[in-house]
């Protein structure tokens, strides 16, 4: 998510919420997925409809119309801002204040899609997105909507409480953050790398002792006795 | 307070929130999940997130709380007003009021349409060959085939054709109206171009068909559905111009705020445009194609125009604002 930006908004409760804005690439891919889904629906439906003759082609045109203009709107309103493509890419449309997009917002941003398409291949929308401070295309600007990355639901493991040991140096806030980062990311590093990091903290001990000691200090910072 | 104590103390609350969220995000609400404390938990969570940042707890914990809060926020501020009462209020007054509030833009749009139609029609009546500068060869012969009494063959038209044409009118006309509106955001140019183009085409068609002796079938065909259809296109153009003007001359607003405001004001008009075009497609597919006495067609058409404009001009004037 390096090229994506973070946006801070203040909720009515006075808390600060951090959103990560989705850039052109994931949005383009979500659009591509949706395009394929729409194409698939049309293909599946076209065959039986052609058997119905001219009345069938009328229904086909109606479906084409609905898919072109209301496919995104229906999904965004009833599936909490996510078309199937967006859901697959982990994106969602929200209002500028973080609230889920409603019917009006979704309609405006999707009606104005034509202007973003102008003159071809979303060129206008892409340029506007690059100059806009919150990665919005014209439709988003008019509707005051954002496309954000929505975190997959996850549960947090309960903290373990093995033995702790106070550090032998006065701990400032920077040190504290480093130790917490080691706690959070350590399990994903190789044992070798963990030992290497521990050696930086306790050059006077051998690797295994240094690592064990570092872990106890981390536990202390986390709150173990 | 140390991070692990903090986590242990509030863990039950976060778990409860997670369960509530899982239920809410699946839309159908399982009976065994208690949501009575959801908002309280959410408000506490806001506080806990601020605390965790203040005290410099680990980034993973901060991210976890932030994500949880974002998900809860998305559920809490989702609201869905019942559709039917809103639709009734919309038809009773909101739509005509929204149209009247922007009458200047609709007037400009209508003038662009009518003046180009009149100009092109006058030119073609003066020099019939000029029709080819506006409509290409295929278009001209299509028009003649559709309306000329000697060329058209209406005997095999049936219900299936009506349905096909209905689908075609919706797909084509509503698409045009939406694009006319969207084109407005490009400083109004898109809307203006579409209005001039459509006006020219209508003027050319009317003048040419009159000249080749197909005037009566043409006018009897278009008069009834023309009321909602042409009006809707003009309204879409007016709404688009309003949108574009907010970018050209935002006044004391920031451009983006002016655009947002214009979008909010024009959206009711676009709802109405959509409904008008569905109505027009129904009339066009199922009534305009009927073979009836010209007198009846003109009468019904006239009533249709009168009713629509009476509605747009007077409905909702004394209703609640």
């Amino acid at each position: 998510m390096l090229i994506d930006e973070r946006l801070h908004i203040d909720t009515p409760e006075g808390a600060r919420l951090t959103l990560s804005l989705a850039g052109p690439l994931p949005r383009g891919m979500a659009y591509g997925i949706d395009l394929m889904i729409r194409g698939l629906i049309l293909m599946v439906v076209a065959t039986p409809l052609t058997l119905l003759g001219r009345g069938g082609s009328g229904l086909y045109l109606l479906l084409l119309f609905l898919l072109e203009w209301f496919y995104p709107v229906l999904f965004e309103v009833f599936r909490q801002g996510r078309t199937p493509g967006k859901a697959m890419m982990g994106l969602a449309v929200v209002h500028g204040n973080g609230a889920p997009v409603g019917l009006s917002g979704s309609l405006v941003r999707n009606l104005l899609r034509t202007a973003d398409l102008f003159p071809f291949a979303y060129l206008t929308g892409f340029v506007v997105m690059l100059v806009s401070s919150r990665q919005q295309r014209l439709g988003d600007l008019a509707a005051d909507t954002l496309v954000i990355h929505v975190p997959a639901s996850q549960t947090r493991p309960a903290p373990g409480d093995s033995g702790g040991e106070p550090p032998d140096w006065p701990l400032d806030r920077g040190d504290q953050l480093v130790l917490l980062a080691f706690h959070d990311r350590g399990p994903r590093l190789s044992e070798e790398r963990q030992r290497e990091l521990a050696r930086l903290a306790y050059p006077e001990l051998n690797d295994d002792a240094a690592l064990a000691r570092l872990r106890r200090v981390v536990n202390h910072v986390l709150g173990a006795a | 307070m140390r991070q692990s104590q903090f986590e242990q103390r509030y863990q039950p609350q976060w778990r409860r929130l997670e369960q509530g969220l899982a239920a809410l995000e699946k839309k159908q609400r399982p009976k065994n999940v208690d949501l009575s404390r959801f908002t309280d938990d959410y408000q506490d969570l806001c506080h806990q997130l601020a605390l965790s940042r203040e005290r410099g707890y680990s980034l993973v914990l901060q991210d976890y709380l932030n994500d949880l809060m974002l998900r809860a926020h998305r559920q809490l501020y989702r609201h869905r007003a019942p559709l039917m009462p809103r639709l009734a209020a919309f038809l009773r007054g909101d739509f005509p009021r929204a149209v009247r509030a922007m009458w200047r833009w609709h007037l400009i749009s209508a003038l662009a349409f009518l003046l180009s139609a009149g100009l092109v029609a006058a030119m073609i009546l003066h020099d019939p060959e000029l029709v080819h500068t506006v409509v290409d060869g295929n278009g001209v012969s299509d028009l003649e085939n559709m309306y000329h009494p000697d060329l058209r063959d209406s005997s095999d038209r049936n219900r299936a054709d009506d349905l096909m044409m209905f689908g075609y009118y919706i797909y084509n006309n509503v698409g045009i109206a939406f694009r006319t509106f969207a084109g407005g955001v490009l400083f109004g140019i898109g809307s203006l171009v579409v209005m001039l183009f459509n006006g020219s085409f209508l003027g050319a068609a009317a003048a040419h068909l009159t000249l080749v002796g197909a005037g009566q079938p043409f006018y009897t065909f278009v008069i009834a559905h023309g009321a909602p259809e042409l009006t809707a296109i003009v309204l879409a153009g007016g709404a688009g111009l309003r949108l574009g003007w907010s970018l050209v001359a935002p006044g004391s607003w920031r451009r983006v705020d002016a655009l947002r405001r214009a979008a909010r004001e024009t959206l009711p008009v676009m709802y109405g445009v959509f409904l008008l075009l569905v109505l027009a497609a129904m009339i066009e597919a199922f009534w305009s194609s009927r073979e009836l006495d010209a007198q009846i067609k003109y009468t019904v058409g006239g009533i249709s125009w009168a009713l629509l404009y009476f509605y747009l001009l007077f409905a909702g004037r004394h209703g609640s604002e």
Side-chain angles (χ1 to χ4, degrees), chain B residues 95-111 234-235 237-239 241-242 265 269 312-313 317:
Chain B
F95 171 48
R97 269 200 294 270
V99 169
R100 290 195 297 266
M102 289 190 285
W103 66 272
R104 287 181 185 83
W105 299 109
H106 298 315
L107 187 65
I108 295 173
S109 168
L111 284 178
V234 165
L235 293 182
L241 288 174
R242 165 82 181 83
E265 280 174 27
V269 176
L312 287 179
L313 289 174
R317 277 204 188 266

Side-chain angles (χ1 to χ4, degrees), chain B residues 34-35 44 48 68 70 78 107 127 175 177 183 230 259 290-291 310 316:
Chain B
D34 176 23
L35 290 171
D44 290 348
Q48 290 150 14
L68 200 58
L70 173 60
R78 186 178 57 156
L107 187 65
D127 177 3
L230 298 180
L259 177 65
R290 295 281 91 89
E291 295 286 334
F310 184 78

Side-chain angles (χ1 to χ4, degrees), chain B residues 190-243:
Chain B
S191 303
L192 211 53
V193 168
V194 177
M195 295 318 293
L196 292 173
F197 178 82
N198 283 336
S200 309
F201 183 83
L202 186 77
H208 180 73
L209 289 169
T210 307
L211 284 176
V212 300
Q216 172 116 328
F218 177 67
Y219 296 122
T220 54
F221 181 75
V222 297
I223 185 157
H225 68 256
E229 187 172 302
L230 298 180
T231 303
I233 296 285
V234 165
L235 293 182
L241 288 174
R242 165 82 181 83
L243 215 54

